[in-house]
């Protein structure tokens, strides 16, 4: 496949060399060369993009993986998409394996739904289609007024479990919080394994206590509400002591989640599982952000192995911590690009995927 045969152009819109590695893998699988585009940072930190080949009437796919400087990465993506739009591209598909600001997809007190803002900016820049993977919340798809294909990394992680964990039949799939229980259940049912849920850990940033429902002041104001119409206050939540629902004694514990960034909760979960008798602990996640001191904390923890995909480059973190392993997902992204370009159905890539997966 090449642009002479089908009008396909693949760009990587990132000035950070390690972030271009996934784009090269995808292009290699498609049998095309990376399109010629120059992405630079000016001395005043402005982003400059120059498309160096014709894209008129072609299907353009812009691959963008997130670097540590996420805001610069977003601007590189937006400017590249807009440059393709003004250069008369037929269609512009964004390939963002990890969607930035996806954790900020709910209203929190007097904050904002930032992922909605990012979606609007991308559509306004000229995006006509989006390919992403394991959105933090599936409802984010509704923020776009263009088609969104939310691919899944679970088949690759399940394959890793079956091929790289010799005694996986003696494993139990663990959700480190009740919020992760559906994902853990999906893994457990496909591997025919048991499930365990850790309950009672400290509140995280996505708890109900920090959403917009708690933003009105609780102090009574004279004359504000008629005495006969007083609104009852909701009793605040109080987490119980940490408990593990399910048997992990003498078993391999496999913690599954979509994102691993701040590893404190994973390290605490691993310690709890060790105390309950688990003899080996794995962590499986789609997006390995692994910020700050995460590699060191993992290396010093009870976790035996952390398995993530290459949706986000993390080669430096792997050098700092040998426990971090990578699963390549370029195959499914390249197949999605091929099908969209050829006008083929995408349903093949969503086989056996349910609403809760």
């Amino acid at each position: 496949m090449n642009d002479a045969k089908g009008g396909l152009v693949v760009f990587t819109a990132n000035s950070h060399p390690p972030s271009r590695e996934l784009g090269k893998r995808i292009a290699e699988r498609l049998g095309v060369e990376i399109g010629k585009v120059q992405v630079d940072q000016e001395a005043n930190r402005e982003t400059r993009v120059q498309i160096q080949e014709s894209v008129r009437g072609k299907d353009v796919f812009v691959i963008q993986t997130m670097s540590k400087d996420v805001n610069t990465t977003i601007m590189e993506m937006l400017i590249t998409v807009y440059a393709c739009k003004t250069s008369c591209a037929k269609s512009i598909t964004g390939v963002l394996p990890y969607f930035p600001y996806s954790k900020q997809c709910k209203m929190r007190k007097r904050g904002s739904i930032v992922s909605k803002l990012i979606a609007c900016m991308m559509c306004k820049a000229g995006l006509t289609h989006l390919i992403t993977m394991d959105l933090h919340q599936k409802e984010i798809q509704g923020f776009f007024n263009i088609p969104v294909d939310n691919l899944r990394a679970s088949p690759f992680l399940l394959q890793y479990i079956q091929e790289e964990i010799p005694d996986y039949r003696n494993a139990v799939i663990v959700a480190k919080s009740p919020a992760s229980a559906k994902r853990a259940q999906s893994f457990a049912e496909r591997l025919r394994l048991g499930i365990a849920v850790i309950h009672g850990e400290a509140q995280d940033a996505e708890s109900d206590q920090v959403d917009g429902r708690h933003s009105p002041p609780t102090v009574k104001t004279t004359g504000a509400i008629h005495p006969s119409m007083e609104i009852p206050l909701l009793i605040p939540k109080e987490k119980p002591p940490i408990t593990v629902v399910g048997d992990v004694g003498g078993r391999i514990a496999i913690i599954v989640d979509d994102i691993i960034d701040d590893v404190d909760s994973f390290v605490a979960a691993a310690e709890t599982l060790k105390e309950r008798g688990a003899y080996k602990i794995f962590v499986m996640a789609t997006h390995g952000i692994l910020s700050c001191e995460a590699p060191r904390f993992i290396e010093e923890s009870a976790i035996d192995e952390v398995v993530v995909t290459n949706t986000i480059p993390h080669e430096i973190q792997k050098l700092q911590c040998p426990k971090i392993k990578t699963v390549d997902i370029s195959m499914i992204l390249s197949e999605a690009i091929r099908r969209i370009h050829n006008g083929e159905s995408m349903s093949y890539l969503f086989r056996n995927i349910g609403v809760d997966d």
Side-chain angles (χ1 to χ4, degrees):
M1 183 188 299
N2 54 52
D3 54 3
K5 291 165 61 178
L8 169 68
V9 180
V10 175
F11 288 131
T12 56
N14 205 304
S15 59
H16 187 50
S19 298
R20 295 198 290 264
E21 185 60 35
L22 180 60
K24 291 178 182 177
R25 287 173 177 262
I26 293 172
E28 185 177 338
R29 288 183 180 275
L30 290 169
V32 301
E33 293 184 359
I34 293 291
K36 297 175 183 177
V37 59
Q38 186 173 348
V39 183
D40 294 316
Q41 300 298 319
E42 300 284 349
N44 61 359
R45 302 302 298 162
E46 288 184 358
T47 299
R48 181 181 295 276
V49 174
Q50 183 70 39
I51 306 296
Q52 297 179 323
E53 65 179 84
S54 175
V55 296
R56 182 179 295 272
K58 296 181 180 180
D59 293 329
V60 176
F61 293 84
V62 181
I63 302 170
Q64 184 71 319
T65 52
M66 294 298 113
S67 65
K68 284 187 176 182
D69 190 352
V70 62
N71 295 323
T72 297
T73 305
I74 292 171
M75 284 306 301
E76 290 173 345
M77 173 75 176
L78 294 173
I79 296 173
T80 303
V81 168
Y82 188 64
C84 293
K85 178 183 177 181
T86 55
S87 298
C88 301
K90 177 184 175 183
S91 66
I92 308 167
T93 301
V95 183
L96 280 82
Y98 172 68
F99 187 74
Y101 286 93
S102 59
K103 285 189 173 183
Q104 298 188 48
C105 60
K106 297 179 182 178
M107 178 63 75
R108 309 207 182 284
K109 292 191 177 180
R110 295 172 185 84
S112 60
I113 305 175
V114 183
S115 54
K116 167 69 173 176
L117 172 63
I118 300 296
C120 292
M121 291 167 64
M122 289 181 177
C123 293
K124 192 68 176 177
L127 216 58
T128 59
H129 200 133
L130 177 69
I131 300 172
T132 187
M133 180 166 281
D134 282 339
L135 287 169
H136 188 56
Q137 296 289 340
K138 299 180 191 69
E139 292 78 9
I140 293 175
Q141 294 177 82
F143 296 162
F144 291 85
N145 55 16
I146 58 173
V148 176
D149 287 309
N150 181 28
L151 303 175
R152 306 298 196 275
S154 51
F156 297 91
L157 296 175
L158 290 167
Q159 184 181 38
Y160 184 94
I161 292 172
Q162 292 173 316
E163 295 180 356
E164 302 297 330
I165 304 179
D167 197 21
Y168 83 91
R169 289 292 181 188
N170 187 38
V172 59
I173 305 298
V174 180
K176 70 179 179 66
S177 68
S180 306
K182 282 187 177 180
R183 185 177 181 87
Q185 181 183 356
S186 174
F187 272 67
E189 289 175 353
R190 282 168 167 75
L191 293 168
R192 308 324 190 241
L193 299 176
I195 184 173
V197 180
I198 300 175
H199 182 48
E201 76 277 17
Q203 286 278 359
D204 57 25
E206 294 190 317
S207 66
D208 287 339
Q209 291 186 354
V210 294
D211 69 16
R213 290 172 290 182
H214 294 269
S215 59
T218 57
V219 179
K220 293 183 181 180
T221 55
T222 307
I225 301 176
H226 192 276
S228 62
M229 297 179 64
E230 228 177 90
I231 301 173
L233 294 177
L234 187 66
I235 299 172
K237 292 181 180 180
E238 185 175 328
K239 288 248 181 179
I242 292 179
T243 57
V244 178
V245 182
D247 182 22
V248 297
R251 313 283 286 277
I252 298 172
I254 304 175
I255 304 171
V256 296
D257 214 334
D258 62 329
I259 299 172
I260 177 168
D261 186 5
D262 180 3
V263 298
D264 289 349
S265 59
F266 290 93
V267 170
E271 291 175 356
T272 300
L273 293 169
K274 276 287 186 183
E275 291 172 1
R276 300 301 193 280
Y279 72 89
K280 208 164 188 181
I281 298 168
F282 290 80
V283 174
M284 299 274 174
T286 302
H287 308 296
I289 301 176
L290 302 169
S291 301
C292 302
E293 296 294 313
R296 181 172 65 83
F297 292 151
I298 292 170
E299 186 66 24
E300 297 172 355
S301 73
I303 298 171
D304 292 283
E305 196 168 284
V306 173
V307 182
V308 294
T309 72
N310 56 343
T311 56
I312 298 172
H314 50 265
E315 294 305 315
I316 295 176
Q317 290 90 331
K318 287 178 70 175
L319 293 174
Q320 296 171 338
C321 177
K323 292 182 179 181
I324 301 172
K325 309 296 181 183
T326 307
V327 174
D328 181 27
I329 44 81
S330 62
M331 180 188 298
I332 192 170
L333 292 174
S334 60
E335 180 62 15
I337 291 172
R338 189 192 68 79
R339 286 176 174 271
I340 291 172
H341 174 61
N342 293 334
E344 299 177 19
S345 172
M346 294 287 286
S347 60
Y348 177 82
L349 303 180
F350 294 94
R351 293 168 301 165
N352 302 323
I353 292 178
V355 176
D356 295 330
D357 290 332

